[in-house]
Amino acid sequence: MKTKIVNFFAAAVLISTQAYISTAQAGEKWDMPMAYPATNFQSINADEFAKCVATGTSGDINIVTHPNGTLFKGNDIKRAVQTGQAQIGERLLSSHENENAIYGTDSIPFLATSYDASVKLFKAARPELEKVLDSQNLKLLYSVPWPPQGLYFSKDVNKVEDMKGVRVRSYNKATARMAELTGMVPISIEAAEISQALSAGVIGSLITSAVTGQDSKVWENLNHFYEVKAWMPRNTVIVNKDIFAKLSDKNKAAILDCSTKAEASGLDKSKIANESALETLSKNGMMVLQPSPDLAASMAKIGETMTSEWVAKAGAAGKKVIDDFKK
Ligand code: PCA
């Protein structure tokens, strides 16, 4: 109840700030819902993108970012942009893999686990992704990888059997499937609610990056981080296709130029944020560990199962992406 009141108050302040902004400026206001904290590198990058767009369109388009799921929760952002309730938004597209397997390309286990490989995989996937997004009234602007995904626990985990029965937060199909195959119990929880879920004992484990562990102050409840490097999922910024289509050529070009810049600077920010988050985890008493050979071998096997499942679902489009990536 208390959080509800606080959220309501925050929303009221937000609305009055926006009203001020829209009367003070002549251009169009675009709302940009995002699911992650304002201090996260993805959100900071989006703020810079918004500034670039305001400058590049000479004030015609003013993007107002709404971090931490305050305007729409992560899971609702894509639909909000599709329907034009929000003009633009940032979303972890792999969470929509149930709509189309192509959305899950970045979460195929152990396929692209370095920044270079992640860039290469995105390049291979982009044309297919754009097709799928286009069919849903969306246009892809830019995409930024999260650091490699590891496993957080409150105990030593040396073999897959040690995970049995542990409740783990899931954020997409791959996290849920990995949980199932390791004998864990997946529970879908928004990033903004991780700390609360850990403190309440709803979950005892996470599959995520060092950065999201840091954002959620996981050391208050967990003490082991295994650098499994399962995959590097991406946040993708999408705009409503109809709204974009109505812009002048000059404003379209300005937004695309800012998108190219945001994709490059987001990549750099992700690398830097990962290094510093790993340090922060250690400083706060987390053990940052490599998986044992036994654990790594089991995870690799689970990865193979998940990869064949994905390939079977993704069909010819998926095969083309993987072939292009491996070229
Ligand atoms: N953070 C996001 C997605 C992957 C990551 O590292 C999250 O946990 O929701």
Side-chain angles (χ1 to χ4, degrees):
M1 200 55 206
K2 197 169 168 207
T3 40
K4 277 230 173 85
I5 294 166
V6 172
N7 283 345
F8 177 76
F9 179 70
V13 172
L14 207 65
I15 289 162
S16 57
T17 317
Q18 284 165 8
Y20 170 74
I21 290 172
S22 49
T23 46
Q25 292 165 339
E28 258 179 73
K29 178 172 83 75
W30 281 12
D31 285 313
M32 182 171 181
M34 316 190 292
Y36 296 92
T39 52
N40 180 279
F41 73 91
Q42 300 269 15
S43 308
I44 292 170
N45 199 48
D47 284 339
E48 289 178 12
F49 166 74
K51 277 204 191 99
C52 176
V53 169
T55 311
T57 64
S58 315
D60 287 347
I61 311 291
N62 297 295
I63 297 175
V64 180
T65 57
H66 303 274
N68 220 26
T70 45
L71 188 62
F72 288 98
K73 283 193 193 297
N75 202 34
D76 300 325
I77 291 174
K78 179 168 162 285
R79 181 186 300 274
V81 181
Q82 266 173 257
T83 56
Q85 285 173 280
Q87 292 80 0
I88 187 170
E90 182 193 75
R91 180 60 176 146
L92 190 78
L93 285 180
S94 63
S95 302
H96 301 280
E97 191 181 333
N98 56 341
E99 294 169 30
N100 194 305
I102 288 298
Y103 286 142
T105 308
D106 61 24
S107 301
I108 299 169
F110 309 114
L111 180 65
T113 60
S114 69
Y115 281 99
D116 286 351
S118 166
V119 169
K120 202 173 167 212
L121 180 58
F122 180 66
K123 206 171 163 216
R126 187 167 186 147
E128 292 301 327
L129 257 179
E130 284 181 339
K131 265 189 234 165
V132 178
L133 288 167
D134 186 82
S135 74
Q136 296 187 328
N137 200 36
L138 294 166
K139 181 174 171 58
L140 191 161
L141 291 180
Y142 70 87
S143 175
V144 174
W146 286 95
Q149 305 292 287
L151 286 164
Y152 290 90
F153 291 103
S154 59
K155 60 174 186 180
D156 282 342
V157 170
N158 296 315
K159 48 190 189 320
V160 78
E161 288 75 20
D162 297 336
M163 300 184 194
K164 210 172 157 49
V166 176
R167 286 192 301 265
V168 60
R169 175 226 177 201
S170 63
Y171 61 74
N172 66 6
K173 190 174 172 193
T175 42
R177 187 69 182 129
M178 181 166 269
E180 278 168 15
L181 292 168
T182 54
M184 293 199 280
V185 182
I187 302 175
S188 169
I189 291 171
E190 292 282 343
E193 263 112 52
I194 294 176
S195 305
Q196 221 179 329
L198 283 170
S199 304
V202 175
I203 45 168
S205 172
L206 299 170
I207 304 173
T208 190
S209 58
V211 169
T212 291
Q214 167 187 261
D215 288 349
S216 314
K217 296 200 169 61
V218 287
W219 49 82
E220 290 176 357
N221 296 282
L222 306 172
N223 49 16
H224 291 61
F225 179 59
Y226 291 95
E227 290 192 277
V228 173
K229 298 200 167 97
W231 56 78
M232 297 174 72
R234 288 172 164 266
N235 274 8
T236 301
V237 171
I238 45 179
V239 62
N240 179 287
K241 190 172 89 176
D242 299 333
I243 293 173
F244 187 81
K246 286 192 193 117
L247 298 175
S248 69
D249 287 348
K250 175 189 160 275
N251 285 346
K252 279 183 193 161
I255 292 175
L256 294 179
D257 179 52
C258 292
S259 301
T260 306
K261 286 179 181 144
E263 191 158 297
S265 61
L267 181 69
D268 290 340
K269 285 189 182 72
S270 182
K271 294 176 188 173
I272 295 166
N274 186 39
E275 293 307 317
S276 112
L278 284 166
E279 267 179 41
T280 307
L281 292 181
S282 300
K283 268 193 213 144
N284 284 281
M286 296 277 314
M287 283 179 267
V288 177
L289 305 158
Q290 297 307 307
S292 70
D294 188 335
L295 181 62
S298 303
M299 296 309 288
K301 211 146 181 261
I302 287 168
E304 280 168 27
T305 305
M306 289 173 62
T307 304
S308 26
E309 288 172 353
W310 185 87
V311 168
K313 268 242 152 125
K319 186 178 178 308
K320 186 172 182 309
V321 172
I322 304 292
D323 290 347
D324 286 353
F325 169 67
K326 290 193 168 158
K327 253 182 214 160

